Amino acid sequence: MVHEYRSQPCLSPNSNEEDMGLLLAPRLAYFAAVARHEHVTRAAAELGVPQSTLSRAMVRLEEDLGVSLFARKGRTVALTPAGRTFLGSAERALGEVEKAADSVRADADPTAGKVAFGFLHTMGSETVPGLIRAFRVDHPRIRFTLVQNYGEAMIERLRAGDLDLCLTSPVPDAPDLVARRLDEQRLRLVVPDDHRLAGRKRVRLAEAADETFVTLEPGYGLRRITDDLCAEAGFTPRIAFEGEEAETLRGLVAAGLGVALLPPPAVPRPGVVELNVTAPRAVREIGVAWLDGHPDTPPVAAFKKFLLSKRGTLLPEWDRGR
């Protein structure tokens, strides 16, 4: 069988690489099959395509590359040196595609797939481990990729496709996101155990207007809530330290560096007293968010349903803002 090259223009060496990839990608499996069998008819039978279709595809592939990949004798073919070089790269590319396909199929498996889940640092010691433990009672083989970060960073990772769901505060309000409120957590004014307010159980936040505060950095949801509550109480807090982790702040309060508005600790810390704030109402909403219009795999859908079922019971009773 003799093939004549058509007058189709082939891509020049300066052609856009993305265009070349788009041209070549659909033909790589065809090429690899012909190279493996060294016979067009047998390769066509394996692929389930007409022999004529396969022959034309190989001619077009050579035209686009501008090189001969096969030496032909009837329906039997042999690779040229250029064909052998191209085959090695084609097989590696096809292998990577197959691995990627296996990976995404595994991640979407209803019983053993993967959920990429983000959560706040303050949810990491008790809340999230408890959620995952409870969920895995009925879904023991589902895997998790966990990301612990502050709220704005997790929202960006949702938008980038790195996360399926995130547990965050405040509950975001953005047109590209879906968010559902799950619970609210009370915040306490944390003071050193030798502080002038340490003998109290309750305090109005305005009573701390002259205090120095230690807070989370700007961009953290809890920092925004702290600033808003202080403003509602009639003052702007004087900041001695801005950190990234609530328990670090609690330690600095114990050291006498300042006071802080924090959620209750998982384990009581010595050296501090935690006061209920009576005014303004000091709580933060905890919610789950996901990207609007993003299709869920079965494992993600199952975990989302589980999280939504925890509305009002996400946190232990002593931790809620009631």
Side-chain angles (χ1 to χ4, degrees):
M1 180 171 61
V2 177
H3 293 280
E4 294 181 0
Y5 285 105
R6 301 169 187 167
S7 59
Q8 297 280 349
C10 64
L11 291 175
S12 70
N14 294 324
S15 294
N16 185 280
E17 290 182 3
E18 182 179 355
D19 292 341
M20 178 66 83
L22 291 172
L23 281 170
L24 300 183
R27 302 171 192 160
L28 293 185
Y30 284 6
F31 167 73
V34 173
R36 184 167 59 251
H37 288 284
E38 295 187 334
H39 197 281
V40 175
T41 302
R42 287 198 290 269
E46 177 190 291
L47 294 168
V49 299
Q51 178 268 326
S52 58
T53 298
L54 188 56
S55 293
R56 285 195 299 270
M58 292 303 94
V59 171
R60 289 298 302 276
L61 177 61
E62 291 176 314
E63 288 176 349
D64 289 335
L65 289 172
V67 297
S68 295
L69 301 174
F70 299 104
R72 295 168 173 84
K73 185 176 181 182
R75 297 193 186 279
T76 301
V77 296
L79 287 171
T80 64
R84 285 193 293 273
T85 298
F86 190 64
L87 177 62
S89 295
E91 288 179 331
R92 286 192 294 274
L94 291 168
E96 287 300 312
V97 170
E98 183 61 31
K99 284 198 296 185
D102 289 343
S103 177
V104 296
R105 283 195 295 262
D107 288 349
D109 184 284
T111 61
K114 185 180 72 174
V115 178
F117 181 46
F119 56 94
L120 299 168
H121 290 92
T122 50
M123 301 278 101
S125 60
E126 295 289 334
T127 302
V128 169
L131 286 171
I132 292 176
R133 182 168 56 249
F135 177 73
R136 285 170 61 87
V137 169
D138 294 323
H139 304 84
R141 297 175 58 209
I142 286 182
R143 297 167 290 124
F144 283 87
T145 297
L146 299 176
V147 173
Q148 190 175 26
N149 214 323
Y150 65 98
E152 289 186 8
M154 286 193 296
I155 296 303
E156 289 309 307
R157 295 193 69 168
L158 269 183
R159 290 180 170 130
D162 297 333
L163 293 176
D164 299 309
L165 304 162
C166 71
L167 201 62
T168 188
S169 176
V171 179
D173 180 14
D176 60 335
L177 301 176
V178 180
R180 296 288 183 268
R181 180 185 179 278
L182 297 179
D183 217 333
E184 62 179 22
Q185 185 178 45
R186 61 183 172 180
L187 303 177
R188 293 169 172 170
L189 183 69
V190 184
V191 302
D193 60 7
D194 59 355
H195 191 272
R196 63 181 176 85
L197 297 173
R200 304 265 296 275
K201 291 184 178 180
R202 298 174 182 83
V203 66
R204 290 178 293 107
L205 189 55
E207 296 179 74
D210 295 330
E211 300 291 336
T212 298
F213 279 70
V214 293
T215 72
L216 296 178
E217 294 177 350
Y220 283 70
L222 186 55
R223 170 60 182 273
R224 193 187 326 160
I225 293 168
T226 296
D227 290 345
D228 289 346
L229 287 171
C230 289
E232 190 176 348
F235 68 96
T236 299
R238 289 184 294 113
I239 307 299
F241 175 80
E242 296 174 328
E244 298 180 350
E245 207 276 321
E247 286 310 302
T248 298
L249 301 184
R250 200 170 255 108
L252 294 175
V253 171
L257 190 62
V259 302
L261 273 173
L262 296 173
V267 178
R269 186 182 188 111
V272 300
V273 175
E274 313 224 354
L275 307 175
N276 291 324
V277 178
T278 58
R281 188 167 182 266
V283 297
R284 65 170 180 171
E285 290 187 336
I286 306 294
V288 59
W290 60 88
L291 198 61
D292 190 20
H294 187 76
D296 292 335
T297 62
V300 172
F303 190 57
K304 180 189 293 183
K305 181 179 179 181
F306 171 79
L307 288 176
L308 294 174
S309 75
K310 295 297 179 181
R311 185 172 183 177
T313 61
L314 180 75
L315 303 171
E317 187 65 37
W318 57 268
D319 202 7
R320 294 182 206 151
R322 291 170 175 75

